[in-house]
Amino acid sequence: MTTRLKGAVIGCGFFAQNHLHGWAEFDDVEIVAVCDLDDAKAKAAAEIFGIARVYTSAQALFETEVLDFVDIPTTMEMHEPLAGLAFAHGVPVILQKPFAPDLDACKRIVAAAEAANVTLMIHEDFRFQNLFRKVRDIVDSGELGRLTFGRLSWRTGINVYANQPYLVHVKRFIIMDVGVHLLDLARFLFGEANSVFCRTQQIKTGIAGEDAAIVLLGHDNGATSILDFSYATKRDPDPFPQTLGEIEGTDGTLIIGAGGTLTLHANGATRTIAVPHDCRGWTSEPWTQIQDSVVHTQRHFIDSLRRGIEPATSGRDSLATYALLEAAYLSAASGALIHPDRFP
Ligand code: NAD
Ligand code: 89Y
């Protein structure tokens, strides 16, 4: 019988509900405490998910509980102090994206985790979607040959501000919010990138940051990828929250179509591959694809802890993603092609 890992969730807001549903699926994990500055949110989470103890102070949580890990789905501004508390108590951490407000803060958090010798993973869930697991399998199979080109596209007009009102006020908006997912996917599918060009737009009025952007990446393997994303696209049906696109190689092309449909042109033939979502009682459209991937991401974190291995989207690994993000903002501001910081 596997021992149950004891965890706590700090931050019981909008997206944390998916984390809490996810953890409730695990036989080998018990969430023993929740914490939120807002007592009502923490109490509601404890009641809905049958969690024993409630805190409004992370300090008190760490001083009282004996934890195997902590899950921190707060917005990024709190990540550095909260992760620091966890490291001081020797507790492994999974942090929601975005990792931190800038690359320097990401580096400080990674250094603190390494100094404490504690596992740190970033909850970067797009690469854990069933669809992108399958896309990666096809790339790895070699059927496309040597990769030459990729496009990843996220364009929607949903009212993202209704569930996530803080997005109205952030100066670094869509690259930080959705761009990070696509930058991570680009690394996952095409490998590391050594050049970044970016153009941003603010289309909606009354917001602080950019709500559309295009990023062009030059990858070490010679491939070029283009990532385009927008919160100001009027389209019916709205594809939210799907990432669409295509990947070309010397031997074939893979189209990432709507509804989880992949079309593979290779070896003189065309194949259509349907990649369904999982079936979970608590998920609902249009969020199912993302909600499923939350559970896959959590599973990867727990398995990594149990096996004592570095998670795929560890803090250290994610520095490369956030270096691309930093380079994208620098490129947009300067109009120049930027060579991002590299991490060994
Ligand atoms: P939210 O504001 O609804 O929730 C954050 C919660 O954290 C709030 O309840 C707040 O009171 C609490 N909190 C803040 N500081 C705290 C502290 N020091 N101690 C305890 N509690 C604290 O935010 P949200 O919309 O749920 O977003 C959270 C994060 O999830 C964001 O970074 C967002 O980008 C990310 N997100 C990720 C995905 C995805 O697909 N991976 C989707 C949506 C949101
Ligand atoms: O914040 C965004 C994310 O990370 O995934 C979807 C989202 O919640 C809205 O586009």
Side-chain angles (χ1 to χ4, degrees):
M1 167 79 181
T2 321
T3 52
R4 296 183 90 194
L5 295 186
K6 292 189 190 319
V9 175
I10 303 179
C12 302
F14 163 65
F15 200 71
Q17 305 311 306
N18 298 314
H19 289 229
L20 290 159
H21 274 293
W23 291 126
E25 289 194 17
F26 286 66
D27 290 335
D28 62 338
V29 167
E30 181 186 2
I31 299 300
V32 295
V34 282
C35 173
D36 198 295
L37 295 175
D38 182 337
D39 191 35
K41 285 190 191 173
K43 280 186 177 145
E47 196 174 316
I48 294 167
F49 295 97
I51 295 163
R53 288 173 295 282
V54 170
Y55 295 84
T56 52
S57 150
Q59 177 88 37
L61 168 90
F62 286 112
E63 282 170 3
T64 315
E65 301 290 337
V66 177
L67 298 171
D68 295 307
F69 72 91
V70 64
D71 179 17
I72 307 184
T74 65
T75 48
M76 65 183 171
E77 296 77 15
M78 294 314 298
H79 288 178
E80 190 169 4
L82 290 172
L85 269 177
F87 302 150
H89 289 83
V91 177
V93 174
I94 178 163
L95 283 179
Q96 243 305 340
K97 55 59 65 176
F99 191 163
D102 57 39
L103 181 60
D104 284 343
C106 299
K107 287 185 197 165
R108 286 195 301 272
I109 301 173
V110 170
E114 285 175 356
N117 196 22
V118 167
T119 298
L120 169 65
M121 175 170 162
I122 306 307
H123 181 117
E124 178 43 71
D125 45 29
F126 276 32
R127 70 158 74 188
F128 289 99
Q129 293 175 6
N130 288 349
L131 185 68
F132 284 101
R133 293 276 132 183
K134 185 67 190 174
V135 169
R136 173 66 190 258
D137 286 349
I138 292 169
V139 167
D140 286 349
S141 76
E143 274 190 281
L144 297 174
R146 182 172 52 79
L147 298 190
T148 54
F149 170 77
R151 187 172 64 83
L152 298 172
S153 179
W154 162 287
R155 310 193 74 81
T156 177
I158 61 140
N159 180 10
V160 68
Y161 315 97
N163 290 323
Q164 297 170 255
Y166 49 87
L167 294 176
V168 171
H169 309 292
V170 285
K171 288 222 169 64
R172 290 181 155 198
F173 174 17
I174 198 170
I175 303 178
M176 196 58 118
D177 186 57
V178 159
V180 283
H181 290 304
L182 270 58
L183 289 167
D184 181 68
L185 275 181
R187 290 184 56 233
F188 180 57
L189 298 172
F190 309 110
E192 301 305 336
N194 53 55
S195 68
V196 181
F197 184 78
C198 175
R199 184 173 146 75
T200 59
Q201 291 165 282
Q202 189 196 103
I203 299 168
K204 182 181 168 64
T205 53
I207 58 173
E210 79 290 351
D211 56 353
I214 292 184
V215 179
L216 186 75
L217 300 175
H219 293 270
D220 293 354
N221 63 2
T224 298
S225 70
I226 185 157
L227 320 179
D228 64 278
F229 30 99
S230 157
Y231 276 133
T233 297
K234 307 284 183 276
R235 192 183 291 190
D236 189 19
D238 191 302
F240 179 87
Q242 301 175 73
T243 307
L244 308 176
E246 57 228 322
I247 299 177
E248 293 180 11
T250 47
D251 297 338
T253 295
L254 179 68
I255 312 284
I256 306 165
T261 303
L262 298 175
T263 308
L264 177 60
H265 306 283
N267 302 312
T270 295
R271 260 173 29 233
T272 303
I273 305 155
V275 186
H277 304 325
D278 301 343
C279 293
R280 302 198 138 81
W282 54 273
T283 56
S284 59
E285 286 301 312
W287 286 89
T288 316
Q289 184 171 19
I290 286 185
Q291 290 168 318
D292 280 348
S293 71
V294 166
V295 187
H296 305 156
T297 310
Q298 293 172 324
R299 186 74 261 167
H300 179 73
F301 176 63
I302 294 300
D303 289 348
S304 302
L305 287 184
R306 287 197 181 282
R307 294 169 61 199
I309 59 168
E310 182 177 342
T313 55
S314 66
R316 192 194 59 81
D317 176 85
S318 299
L319 291 178
T321 304
Y322 286 77
L324 298 181
L325 175 140
E326 205 64 57
Y329 278 114
L330 189 54
S331 172
S334 64
L337 181 76
I338 305 294
H339 298 288
D341 285 2
R342 300 297 296 243
F343 296 94

